Amino acid sequence: MTLATAPKKRLLAAETPWRQRIPARLLPLLIDLRVRLAQRNAVVRETARLNMRFQLEKTRPGADVGAAATEYLRQMFWRAERRWRPELITNLPVEGADRVLAARDRDPSRGMVLTFMHHGVYDGQWASIDKAGIHAHVLGAAFVLSDDAPEYMKQHVRVCEMGATAIHGDKGYRGITEALGEGKIVGIALDVPGSTPVEFVGRNVLGSFGAARAAFETNSPVIVLTAHKDPRAAARIRLGEPIEPHDFPDAKALLAELLRRHEEAILEWPESQDRPMQRWGRNDDEDRANFGEFSDFRPL
């Protein structure tokens, strides 16, 4: 019996802590194997293509979607492996921490909104910025923090909590504004399905309004956190210049600017966003026909 037959699901499932015992030097070989096996599965292969088509069709019409889909699978599998090896992702290089710390020094009582996307190695970014002096309180979905979450998700939370404090999703918007009122830095993902019409990667989609609304209503500066390629690390974290919310006429204008800045980083490294099709609600009949309401495929 070969690795490509029945035992592969047990051997390659990323839900078991024994993965931590795999020598780091063998991880590239393991990733290559997982990509090759995944590409044999027509559903997995097509789902990867759809995710990259979603990202690139409107923004880079001439892009090689097939090549991007292969790299997308590689990034997904690297992300899955690295969560079991947090030493590989919790010391990422961080740019711009001085901007955030200087803003904090000017008014330590003032909260900050830190926006991010599920891009790069987003679980390891919290310990990395914490070591740079920036401790975030991060809103987490209730199902992610639940006791019956799958083991890979619990491990994801463990890595996040190496550098951040979770705000339970059950607390919702109230939990965000309370933390900001206490002068905390609050991390909120922007690529979360919602009911607010926005534009992203050239598409009319439905996103979340909470981060911009909270920043505007509490007059909290906004920090844009983005992930970038780095030849010597799993990713490089960049923290932008603090954005004053009331420099914009309203929260919708602020949200549009935040999405524009995040989109720039996403399109520099489109293959590294985690399940882009699932991050947005559909607000376009053509997109509903081409991509469905969402994709729940998650290659572990």
Side-chain angles (χ1 to χ4, degrees):
M1 185 174 288
T2 68
L3 187 60
T5 58
K8 77 177 183 183
K9 291 184 178 180
R10 294 193 302 273
L11 189 60
L12 297 179
E15 298 210 4
T16 50
W18 63 260
R19 290 191 165 281
Q20 295 168 320
R21 299 196 293 270
I22 299 173
R25 67 181 182 278
L26 297 182
L27 288 179
L29 296 175
L30 177 61
I31 298 299
D32 285 344
L33 172 63
R34 298 193 73 189
V35 170
R36 290 199 301 272
L37 291 174
Q39 289 178 315
R40 295 180 187 178
N41 184 311
V43 173
V44 174
R45 189 171 62 247
E46 180 59 19
T47 302
R49 285 184 62 87
L50 282 173
N51 272 286
M52 289 299 93
R53 181 182 163 197
F54 186 86
Q55 295 277 69
L56 301 173
E57 186 175 50
K58 303 286 188 179
T59 56
R60 297 181 186 171
D64 186 339
V65 173
T70 298
E71 182 59 22
Y72 167 77
L73 287 171
R74 188 176 306 279
Q75 291 297 322
M76 290 288 282
F77 289 131
W78 265 115
R79 190 179 295 112
E81 296 298 335
R82 284 170 171 146
R83 72 167 62 97
W84 294 103
R85 300 293 296 272
E87 70 275 10
L88 299 178
I89 56 174
T90 53
N91 291 285
L92 303 173
V94 177
E95 298 176 358
D98 55 330
R99 303 167 182 165
V100 181
L101 296 173
R104 295 287 285 171
D105 289 344
R106 286 194 292 270
D107 189 349
S109 67
R110 198 177 182 199
M112 289 180 157
V113 173
L114 192 157
T115 63
F116 70 99
M117 290 200 176
H118 295 86
H119 184 226
V121 284
Y122 53 89
D123 39 11
Q125 68 193 15
W126 304 113
S128 301
I129 67 170
D130 188 57
K131 290 169 183 174
I134 300 162
H135 186 81
H137 290 68
V138 183
L139 183 68
F143 74 90
V144 173
L145 300 173
S146 67
D147 291 338
D148 57 354
E151 191 58 35
Y152 77 89
M153 195 171 289
K154 290 180 179 178
Q155 179 63 16
H156 163 70
V157 172
R158 292 183 195 110
V159 176
C160 290
E161 290 184 335
M162 290 180 179
T165 301
I167 299 175
H168 201 284
D170 285 347
K171 294 185 177 180
Y173 187 73
R174 176 179 57 83
I176 295 172
T177 55
E178 285 180 354
L180 290 172
E182 295 168 358
K184 294 182 170 63
I185 297 174
V186 179
I188 308 173
L190 289 189
D191 55 343
V192 178
S195 57
T196 301
V198 297
E199 182 176 322
F200 196 73
V201 294
R203 300 188 184 279
N204 295 316
V205 294
L206 297 173
S208 175
F209 191 47
R213 176 188 170 196
F216 206 83
E217 290 185 353
T218 63
N219 193 28
S220 300
V222 184
I223 308 297
V224 172
L225 183 156
T226 54
H228 304 266
K229 291 182 181 179
D230 189 298
R232 292 170 293 184
R236 176 176 293 272
I237 303 303
R238 184 174 299 153
L239 300 167
E241 195 73 37
I243 300 169
E244 288 294 338
H246 290 162
D247 286 347
F248 297 83
D250 53 36
K252 288 186 177 179
L254 172 61
L255 178 59
E257 176 61 17
L258 298 177
L259 289 171
R260 184 191 68 78
R261 297 189 187 198
H262 280 287
E263 182 179 294
E264 287 182 357
I266 292 289
L267 292 179
E268 285 178 13
W269 196 9
E271 306 91 347
S272 195
Q273 188 174 19
D274 184 358
R275 297 169 292 135
M277 285 199 307
Q278 192 168 339
R279 298 295 169 190
W280 310 97
R282 305 291 182 260
N283 196 34
D284 182 277
D285 289 340
E286 182 180 356
D287 281 353
R288 291 189 190 98
N290 289 333
F291 303 103
E293 291 298 327
F294 66 91
S295 167
D296 62 358
F297 170 67
R298 182 177 299 154
L300 302 176

